[in-house]
């Protein structure tokens, strides 16, 4: 007695294009991937990183010029203190050394004067839209002031106060803002060993 051979000719009652597996795997998944790719390309374009410094090559070429400005700050023994208020007021105090105040001359022999204006650069570490360049105006004595509206989210900023006059110096510091006060001191790297 022999057993009948299995019948492999299974007949579907519906055509292939009406099968749900075809809709899911052959049409649905590739369509989902294409839509997801288009979305992520659009999203990455919307949140693209900004160029923090677009003249970085020129900055590198002028490194030695910039170091001379920092060295002059050290040689003149200049210090500064910047105070921030919640209303956006910035007050900067330019502090000459006691010896210069008594003699009326800077440590390099030039007459001691307070510049009419100082340049203030506040650069966000990663977002160029949050950078500010303002002019600090001389109010009285060693006091300067300006108005700047800083972002309320605490972040790292590069601060630079500079004088582009006869005495071409600058003071720099890195601080997390907002905060109430930042102190500027000459870079100790110029100290003679």
């Amino acid at each position: 007695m022999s057993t009948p051979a299995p019948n492999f000719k299974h007949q579907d009652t519906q055509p292939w294009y009406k099968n749900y597996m075809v809709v899911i795997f052959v049409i649905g998944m590739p369509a989902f991937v294409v839509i997801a790719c288009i979305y992520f390309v659009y999203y990455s374009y919307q949140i693209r990183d900004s160029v923090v410094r677009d003249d970085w090559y020129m900055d590198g070429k002028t490194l030695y010029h910039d170091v001379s400005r920092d060295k002059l700050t050290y040689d003149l023994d200049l210090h500064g203190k910047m105070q921030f208020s919640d209303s956006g007021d910035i007050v900067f105090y330019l502090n000459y050394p006691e010896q210069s105040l008594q003699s009326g001359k800077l440590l390099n022999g030039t007459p001691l004067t307070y510049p009419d204006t100082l340049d203030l650069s506040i650069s966000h570490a990663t977002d160029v839209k949050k950078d500010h360049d303002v002019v600090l105006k001389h109010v009285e004595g060693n006091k300067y002031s300006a108005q700047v509206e800083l972002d309320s989210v605490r972040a790292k900023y590069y601060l630079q106060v500079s004088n582009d006059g006869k005495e071409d110096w600058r003071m720099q510091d890195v601080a997390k803002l907002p905060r109430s006060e930042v102190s500027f001191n000459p870079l100790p790297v110029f100290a003679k060993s």
Side-chain angles (χ1 to χ4, degrees):
M1 183 166 186
S2 66
T3 61
N7 183 6
F8 290 112
K9 294 183 179 180
H10 173 59
Q11 293 293 325
D12 282 335
T13 58
Q14 61 183 354
W16 67 270
Y17 55 86
K18 289 187 177 180
N19 188 334
Y20 74 94
M21 296 296 252
V22 171
V23 173
I24 292 174
F25 291 108
V26 176
I27 299 170
M29 291 193 69
F32 173 76
V33 169
V34 169
I35 292 169
C37 286
I38 291 171
Y39 170 75
F40 282 120
V41 166
Y42 171 77
Y43 182 70
S44 65
Y45 178 76
Q46 292 298 319
I47 64 161
R48 66 186 179 278
D49 292 336
S50 62
V51 177
V52 177
R53 297 288 301 214
D54 60 354
D55 56 352
W56 57 270
Y57 178 72
M58 294 306 290
D59 287 347
K61 285 176 48 175
T62 60
L63 176 67
Y64 294 108
H65 172 70
D66 289 343
V67 170
S68 67
R69 297 176 75 196
D70 296 327
K71 174 115 173 62
L72 182 60
T73 302
Y74 178 82
D75 291 343
L76 297 176
D77 195 23
L78 300 178
H79 297 268
K81 183 187 296 184
M82 187 173 292
Q83 296 173 340
F84 298 90
S85 72
D86 293 337
S87 63
D89 293 325
I90 295 178
V91 177
F92 178 74
Y93 296 96
L94 175 60
N95 298 322
Y96 289 116
E98 191 63 37
Q99 177 184 351
S100 295
L101 293 173
Q102 290 175 356
S103 68
K105 293 185 176 185
L106 298 176
L107 296 179
N108 65 358
T110 59
L112 185 146
T113 58
Y114 289 99
D116 293 333
T117 61
L118 296 173
D119 296 322
L120 171 62
S121 174
I122 303 172
S123 302
H124 191 275
T126 58
D127 191 356
V128 72
K129 291 179 233 158
K130 296 180 181 178
D131 291 355
H132 299 281
D133 290 322
V134 295
V135 175
L136 292 164
K137 294 181 181 172
H138 187 241
V139 178
E140 61 182 2
N142 67 340
K143 183 178 178 181
Y144 292 81
S145 70
Q147 181 79 24
V148 172
E149 195 64 36
L150 294 174
D151 191 36
S152 61
V153 178
R154 189 169 170 85
K156 181 179 180 180
Y157 285 87
Y158 298 97
L159 304 169
Q160 175 179 302
V161 177
S162 60
N163 178 28
D164 293 328
K166 183 179 177 188
E167 300 298 326
D168 189 16
W169 53 261
R170 76 172 176 187
M171 297 181 195
Q172 299 183 81
D173 198 14
V174 179
K176 290 205 176 208
L177 299 179
R179 68 191 288 180
S180 60
E181 189 174 289
V182 175
S183 294
F184 292 86
N185 296 306
L187 297 174
V189 71
F190 299 111
K192 295 177 180 155
S193 351

